[in-house]
Amino acid sequence: MKLLLFFLCGSFLLGGCVAANRQTGGLDELLEPTVVFRANDSAYILSCLQKLGSLHSKEFNAYFSATEARLASGKDEDKLRFICLSLNTKANYKQFKQGEALLGLYIKEHPDSREEMKGLLSLVDRLDQVKVTRWSNRKKMLDEKDELETEVASLRARIETLQGEHEQDTVKIQELRNQIEQLKNIENIIKNREHGS
């Protein structure tokens, strides 16, 4: 009897496990496959930009110099870090262009990451166009400012000249009034003499 009970319990347990396994097997087919994200080169650069975006100028300059010195080793990570730093807001235009050139070279050397990196290069090219346009507009504004300053200086000089001429004219007018007064006095003296004789 005990043996029979043992077999019945065992079969129920085994049957339940098989049924449960069949049920979860059906659910697995309905679920989307799990995708494991592997960081690629462009993701590395973007992540680096985020991490290093808050560097102070002195820190940035030291970090950029150290990374530039490590480029000779030829390691991809150093190249990617250099590209990242060249895109930092504290990078000057020369550093930006060095990074852009290195990105183009990196794409040629790594055909497996070419598509994603070409997208990043397109963004970098667009950023370069914006920088050049901004620089051109700034230069144009500075040129216009210089022209306006020259014009203002010329107008100020003209105003000073006119003020000087006005002062001279005022003095001449006063001198003429004095002469007119003197002539009137002389005329009165002559009239008085003529009436007195």
Side-chain angles (χ1 to χ4, degrees):
M1 184 74 152
K2 288 183 182 180
L3 191 57
L4 182 60
L5 206 66
F6 178 74
F7 281 116
L8 281 173
C9 287
S11 64
F12 280 115
L13 287 172
L14 287 175
C17 290
V18 171
N21 191 16
R22 282 188 201 138
Q23 288 175 353
T24 58
L27 289 175
D28 285 345
E29 292 172 6
L30 296 175
L31 295 175
E32 298 253 346
T34 303
V35 178
V36 177
F37 179 73
R38 183 183 73 81
N40 52 32
D41 296 338
S42 60
Y44 176 87
I45 292 171
L46 295 173
S47 174
C48 171
L49 272 170
Q50 178 64 31
K51 287 178 186 174
L52 301 180
S54 61
L55 288 175
H56 297 291
S57 292
K58 286 183 179 179
E59 294 170 326
F60 171 80
N61 291 334
Y63 201 56
F64 189 90
S65 296
T67 303
E68 188 174 25
R70 284 195 305 267
L71 278 179
S73 72
K75 291 182 182 177
D76 286 347
E77 189 174 327
D78 291 329
K79 292 177 184 177
L80 293 173
R81 190 175 295 116
F82 184 86
I83 293 167
C84 161
L85 289 169
S86 72
L87 297 174
N88 190 293
T89 55
K90 292 174 183 67
N92 62 35
Y93 192 66
K94 180 183 175 190
Q95 292 167 331
F96 174 81
K97 292 303 280 181
Q98 288 173 322
E100 184 181 24
L102 184 59
L103 178 58
L105 182 64
Y106 190 88
I107 290 171
K108 288 178 186 173
E109 292 173 353
H110 298 82
D112 54 326
S113 63
R114 182 169 290 168
E115 289 307 311
E116 70 199 37
M117 294 297 272
K118 275 189 173 179
L120 183 60
L121 183 60
S122 294
L123 289 174
V124 170
D125 287 341
R126 181 70 181 118
L127 182 61
D128 186 28
Q129 290 172 1
V130 169
K131 283 182 175 248
V132 168
T133 302
R134 193 176 93 193
W135 176 80
S136 175
N137 288 342
R138 186 171 185 271
K139 185 174 181 336
K140 184 179 175 184
M141 282 177 24
L142 288 174
D143 289 346
E144 288 174 358
K145 180 183 171 222
D146 288 344
E147 287 176 16
L148 287 173
E149 285 176 352
T150 302
E151 192 175 328
V152 166
S154 174
L155 287 172
R156 282 187 180 148
R158 180 70 180 136
I159 288 170
E160 287 176 8
T161 302
L162 290 173
Q163 284 176 337
E165 290 175 0
H166 174 70
E167 289 172 5
Q168 288 175 355
D169 289 345
T170 303
V171 169
K172 285 181 183 176
I173 290 170
Q174 190 57 45
E175 287 175 358
L176 289 173
R177 284 185 180 156
N178 291 341
Q179 287 177 2
I180 290 172
E181 283 299 316
Q182 287 175 357
L183 288 174
K184 283 183 182 177
N185 289 339
I186 292 171
E187 186 180 357
N188 286 338
I189 290 171
I190 293 173
K191 283 183 186 176
N192 288 338
R193 282 188 185 169
E194 288 176 358
H195 290 306
S197 0

